[in-house]
Amino acid sequence: MPPRLRRSFFDRSVHKVAPELIGATLLVDGVGGVIVEVEAYHHTDPAAHSYIGRTNRNAIMFGPAGYAYVYRSYGIHWCLNFVCEAAGSASAVLIRAIEPTAGIAAMRRRRGKDLALPEERALCSGPGKLCQAVGVTIKHNGLALDRPPFELRARASVPDIVVGPRIGITKAVDAPWRYGLAGSKFLSKPFKI
DNA sequence: CTCTCGATTATCT
DNA sequence: GATAATCGAGAGC
């Protein structure tokens, strides 16, 4: 089994960490799969929650790397981020999609509440879906990524990665800081060629 | 396939 | 009071 990702893995530029997360495995209480899509948010980026400075919501982003930053999206969904870089840098990677490999029955159960027929490719193909499927909520905000309930494993080999502009934002819409596993059918949306 | 719209609430102005 | 790093349903082509 590939080694756990250590705290030091996250203690680097968010633009280096983000693409290296593609292919890594994320489990929460044993439920999860292979990360296939992420986005990088740096504190100098107008689209980042930390751009306006420290607030109650984004406080975790201003702490040390290797912790989870969870926030409520559109009043309905949860979104999971990994804090990167040195404390105070306030940068993070948004986890946008995973390919389910572990605990699929549990994911189907949790997602099935709001979906009549939860197809496997619809279980975790988006930041809100993925949090619902693996059971991430605000309770996970500020938890260390190298300890339970989180389990992060490095990828075994370097996959083909596609890059493009980020999704669903209204500022800095052209910055190419979305990364995906090439050819994956578990992406939230296809990458344009 | 694409497009539009409503849900729902913490956060910030 | 307006906004938002989303999602799913439904309409139309």
Side-chain angles (χ1 to χ4, degrees):
Chain A
M1 186 181 281
R4 265 180 186 271
L5 292 180
R6 305 169 63 92
R7 203 76 62 90
S8 58
F9 175 87
F10 300 97
D11 201 4
R12 299 174 294 138
S13 162
V14 73
H15 294 304
K16 279 194 70 77
V17 174
E20 289 185 27
L21 281 169
I22 301 299
T25 294
L26 163 67
L27 301 177
V28 181
D29 282 320
V31 176
V34 178
I35 298 173
V36 297
E37 182 184 341
V38 302
E39 286 176 357
Y41 288 87
H42 189 260
H43 74 284
T44 56
D45 164 16
H49 286 173
S50 53
Y51 183 70
I52 57 172
R54 185 185 181 124
T55 66
N56 201 34
R57 173 174 74 161
N58 67 23
I60 296 298
M61 284 185 80
F62 285 79
Y67 288 83
Y69 164 50
V70 180
Y71 69 92
R72 179 78 92 168
S73 175
Y74 287 88
I76 303 172
H77 311 284
W78 300 108
C79 288
L80 171 65
N81 296 252
F82 297 164
V83 176
C84 294
E85 307 196 11
S89 172
S91 302
V93 177
L94 170 69
I95 310 303
R96 285 194 57 90
I98 66 181
E99 174 176 344
T101 60
I104 292 178
M107 293 188 195
R108 219 177 272 280
R109 204 177 314 124
R110 290 193 275 234
R111 293 271 298 135
K113 276 186 307 171
D114 300 337
L115 204 62
L117 300 168
E119 291 182 65
E120 188 160 321
R121 62 185 306 169
L123 288 177
C124 301
S125 53
K129 300 181 195 180
L130 155 184
C131 284
Q132 185 184 19
V134 305
V136 164
T137 69
I138 193 63
K139 288 186 298 190
H140 296 83
N141 190 40
L143 297 186
L145 297 170
D146 58 355
R147 295 212 310 263
F150 289 108
E151 182 177 344
L152 277 158
R153 299 273 172 192
R155 59 196 185 188
S157 61
V158 179
D160 280 346
I161 293 178
V162 284
V163 181
R166 296 171 293 182
I167 301 218
I169 55 175
T170 56
K171 302 163 196 156
V173 295
D174 294 325
W177 294 331
R178 176 183 179 224
Y179 302 93
L181 177 63
S184 173
K185 60 180 183 183
F186 296 92
L187 302 173
S188 65
K189 285 175 69 172
F191 282 74
K192 293 189 177 160
I193 311 164

